[in-house]
Amino acid sequence: MLKNRRSRLKPFFADYALDAVLLTDLRNIRYLCGFSGSEGALLVARDSAWFLCDSRYTAQAGEEVQSAEVVECVAVRLDTVASLAAENGLNRIGFEAAHTTVSAYRRMTEKLSGIELVELDSKLDEIRICKDTAEVGQLKSIAVLASQSFEAILGKIKPGVRELDVAFALEFEMRQRGADGKAFDFIVASGMRGAMPHGRASDKVIQSGDLITIDFGALKDGYHSDETVTVACGQPSSEALEIHAIVKTAHDLAIDAVKPGISCKALDEVARSFIRGKGYGDCFGHGLGHGIGLEIHEMPTLSPRSTMVLEEGMTVTIEPGIYIPGFGGVRIEDSVVVTSDGCALLTGVGKRLLVL
Ligand code: ZN
Ligand code: ZN
């Protein structure tokens, strides 16, 4: 499987006439060799690969790293890269420009002075864009865990409880059910705070009549889940009901439109034009969704500016919203995997308005 993933680097070897690629981004490293620790580098040549780490990680790398030789660096890691390059005739090495700081780049040019360093832009991260069966399984199981955790704490969402209490209860539930942690700081935005698309859980107390936008996700083995449910605490106003219904329809229309071959821009427009037609075009300021995987936000982006086209195996969120300052907001989000003729849901909470 990892060999298969590594073959996705082939176009880079060809297009940039490379002898090797040096990877330092931990997500790309995990994807290509299995290492889950917090420091290391992976040097991939056409027919061989080396995982470089210091002594803190040698045992872990020995257990986790597949199809790469584990090399323990006794001193400076770039010196080890330099000697491996010299021993194996690697004269032209690509590196992840999008994940390299200016100072790291300066160190590279110093330590690898005889080597031609070739900048590979964020296109390199696109090797992870179409998920394989194992990844879809991991994304599905963490999404189900998060959805079930949410359903288990519904009884705790009630007037008098702080937004933070809801966030803590949800994270605790996820961890009890086996998550490694939360995928991001949960958004729990109640009442007027719902107008902030990214309103983190605060110490605001939930009141009867509030709509509450809860955006949550869990993390397991490096993979993230992402889902948003907007619930009502007590009987919602007619305007709140109307806005929820519009966002729900926009969400459903977009999910129905997901299939290989549709452009990300056209998919965004499916939801956006519906919301615009209802008179709320100015209240939906963000893109329709994003890719999800080893990063919470990754390629492709679904927005009016997207240039990509959906392919089978991509995993994306669909998350239209309406945000009205001084009133509140609604967002509804599911994560899906693109299948051969449509899509399958990863997330599992039903999206009809729940009145608690
Ligand atoms: Zn989300
Ligand atoms: Zn999202």
Side-chain angles (χ1 to χ4, degrees):
M1 185 179 71
L2 293 181
K3 278 231 159 93
N4 219 346
R5 291 182 186 177
R6 213 167 294 162
S7 71
R8 297 185 187 188
L9 286 173
K10 266 188 193 155
F12 293 89
F13 280 97
D15 294 351
Y16 295 89
L18 302 175
D19 298 320
V21 179
L22 177 63
L23 299 123
T24 48
D25 179 77
L26 290 166
R27 287 143 316 188
N28 287 337
I29 289 175
R30 185 173 201 155
Y31 180 74
L32 291 170
C33 80
F35 178 71
S36 71
S38 52
E39 215 182 307
L42 181 66
L43 183 65
V44 182
R46 283 173 189 266
D47 303 311
S48 35
W50 302 268
F51 175 75
L52 291 74
C53 63
D54 63 58
S55 59
R56 292 171 300 166
Y57 293 107
T58 312
Q60 183 182 351
E63 279 175 22
E64 292 180 344
V65 171
Q66 293 173 41
S67 6
E69 186 186 326
V70 176
V71 181
E72 185 180 301
C73 308
V74 278
V76 180
R77 194 165 65 208
L78 282 169
D79 288 339
T80 311
V81 175
S83 41
L84 282 170
E87 283 162 28
N88 295 279
L90 311 174
N91 301 314
R92 218 173 127 78
I93 299 182
F95 70 98
E96 300 162 299
H99 303 298
T100 304
T101 62
V102 174
S103 51
Y105 177 69
R106 287 204 182 115
R107 276 197 302 278
M108 274 167 63
T109 52
E110 245 169 63
K111 293 281 182 189
L112 307 177
S113 56
I115 294 167
E116 260 186 278
L117 293 169
V118 181
E119 281 185 39
L120 305 175
D121 61 17
S122 55
K123 261 205 155 341
L124 189 77
D125 297 341
E126 289 175 27
I127 57 171
R128 306 195 320 250
I129 201 167
C130 288
K131 274 63 182 174
D132 53 41
T133 320
E135 291 187 286
V136 173
Q138 283 173 291
L139 285 163
K140 174 78 188 171
S141 81
I142 192 58
V144 167
L145 182 150
S147 299
Q148 289 174 346
S149 303
F150 177 80
E151 283 164 346
I153 62 112
L154 272 176
K156 300 196 166 146
I157 307 172
K158 53 190 174 197
V161 160
R162 296 177 312 157
E163 292 172 351
L164 275 170
D165 297 324
V166 174
F168 292 155
L170 185 49
E171 184 182 352
F172 186 79
E173 187 70 32
M174 286 173 174
R175 283 187 173 263
Q176 266 195 325
R177 288 170 184 254
D180 293 337
K182 55 185 176 178
F184 51 90
D185 283 337
F186 301 155
I187 290 159
V188 181
S190 62
M192 291 211 279
R193 291 191 77 249
M196 292 189 282
H198 274 185
R200 283 206 186 118
S202 74
D203 56 8
K204 177 186 174 290
V205 173
I206 291 169
Q207 283 158 1
S208 184
D210 279 355
L211 279 183
I212 312 163
T213 302
I214 305 167
D215 189 344
F216 59 96
L219 178 69
K220 177 86 178 165
D221 297 329
Y223 285 90
H224 298 77
S225 80
D226 194 4
E227 179 166 18
T228 307
V229 184
T230 301
V231 298
C233 189
Q235 192 50 44
S237 67
S238 57
E239 189 177 8
L241 285 173
E242 186 201 339
I243 290 166
H244 190 279
I246 293 168
V247 175
K248 169 78 165 60
T249 304
H251 158 276
D252 293 353
L253 288 170
I255 286 192
D256 286 346
V258 173
K259 60 171 189 232
I262 188 170
S263 74
C264 296
K265 186 178 168 167
L267 183 58
D268 176 274
E269 183 59 17
V270 169
R272 195 168 302 282
S273 61
F274 180 77
I275 290 174
R276 197 189 300 124
K278 294 289 178 185
Y280 290 97
D282 293 340
C283 305
F284 176 26
H286 57 74
L288 177 66
H290 53 85
I292 182 165
L294 287 168
E295 280 178 277
I296 180 66
H297 294 130
E298 56 180 45
M299 302 296 249
T301 301
L302 312 181
S303 87
R305 295 169 301 284
S306 304
T307 53
M308 287 185 163
V309 172
L310 284 189
E311 289 173 44
E312 186 174 354
M314 288 183 180
T315 44
V316 294
T317 67
I318 300 293
E319 49 180 306
I322 291 179
Y323 312 94
I324 305 171
F327 174 77
V330 171
R331 179 167 63 259
I332 298 175
E333 175 180 29
D334 275 305
S335 301
V336 302
V337 54
V338 182
T339 58
S340 61
D341 58 354
C343 71
L345 282 174
L346 298 170
T347 38
V349 179
K351 295 301 185 295
R352 274 190 31 215
L353 181 60
L354 273 174
V355 180
L356 302 171

